[in-house]
């Protein structure tokens, strides 16, 4: 398959939709605003040093911990793995016959549905990858926001 249809000759991946960039920025904004409001509120009602209000000091400490934890979670969501299925020899081959015939003739793939494979795997005709079946860590789905196939919907996908 690699000699017949190299990965570099597959059609380019689809462009990502604006939500791919807008949703994380919106999330960062919401977490920042809520954290700032909570930290600011607890700091504004704090008693003066040495007044002995231990429970309020504990609440302040917990709010700071919560804000730091929220920030770390946002960083993980922004930079952590999102389950994207990348093109490789293992994920692209073998190309299903119907897809290969259309690519060989430079025909449009629109109207072609995803192709069922062995063990519940499916071939995405937009990404040109085999998505894993339920026994291989799947199911995989094509995300309309990032225009990539992913395993699981643990990010912005609308499920």
């Amino acid at each position: 398959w690699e000699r017949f249809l190299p990965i570099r000759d597959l059609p380019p991946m689809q462009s990502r939709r604006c939500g791919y960039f807008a949703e994380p920025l919106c999330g960062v904004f919401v977490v920042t605003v809520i954290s700032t409001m909570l930290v600011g509120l607890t700091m504004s009602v704090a008693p003066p040093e040495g007044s002995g209000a231990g429970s309020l000091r504990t609440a302040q400490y917990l709010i700071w911990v919560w804000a730091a934890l929220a920030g770390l979670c946002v960083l993980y969501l922004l930079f952590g793995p999102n389950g994207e299925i990348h093109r490789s020899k293992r994920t692209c081959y073998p190309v299903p016959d119907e897809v290969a015939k259309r690519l060989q003739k430079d025909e449009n793939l629109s109207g072609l549905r995803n192709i069922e494979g062995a063990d519940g795997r499916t071939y995405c005709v937009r990404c040109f990858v085999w998505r894993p079946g339920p026994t291989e860590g799947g199911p995989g789905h094509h995300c309309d926001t990032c225009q990539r196939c992913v395993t699981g919907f643990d990010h912005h996908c609308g499920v």
Side-chain angles (χ1 to χ4, degrees):
W1 275 108
E2 192 174 359
R3 278 186 273 128
F4 168 69
L5 187 62
I7 292 174
R8 69 178 177 280
D9 291 346
L10 290 173
M13 299 293 277
Q14 297 176 340
S15 298
R16 299 180 190 269
R17 298 226 169 113
C18 68
Y20 179 76
F21 302 102
E23 288 177 10
L25 292 176
C26 196
V28 168
F29 176 76
V30 168
V31 168
T32 302
V33 167
I34 291 173
S35 297
T36 302
M37 286 174 32
L38 289 174
V39 167
L41 181 65
T42 56
M43 295 305 288
S44 68
V45 297
E49 287 290 328
S51 63
S55 61
L56 196 53
R57 291 278 178 220
T58 302
Q60 280 182 308
Y61 173 74
L62 290 175
I63 292 295
W64 277 103
V65 169
W66 179 87
L69 185 60
L72 291 173
C73 288
V74 167
L75 287 174
Y76 177 76
L77 288 174
L78 290 174
F79 300 110
N82 63 358
E84 183 177 330
I85 302 170
H86 298 281
R87 286 182 178 174
S88 69
K89 292 177 188 177
R90 187 181 61 79
T91 60
C92 290
Y93 301 128
V95 177
D97 291 336
E98 180 63 26
V99 175
K101 287 175 189 174
R102 288 191 184 196
L103 289 173
Q104 204 173 25
K105 296 177 184 176
D106 286 329
E107 290 180 6
N108 193 329
L109 295 176
S110 62
L112 187 61
R113 299 191 52 85
N114 293 330
I115 297 164
E116 298 289 326
D119 300 326
R121 294 173 17 139
T122 55
Y123 190 82
C124 178
V125 297
R126 294 169 280 185
C127 293
F128 302 99
V129 296
W130 283 101
R131 300 182 294 212
T135 60
E136 300 175 309
H141 300 278
H142 186 84
C143 173
D144 286 331
T145 302
C146 63
Q147 295 297 319
R148 303 291 186 269
C149 282
V150 295
T151 55
F153 281 116
D154 60 346
H155 57 299
H156 53 247
C157 294
V159 169

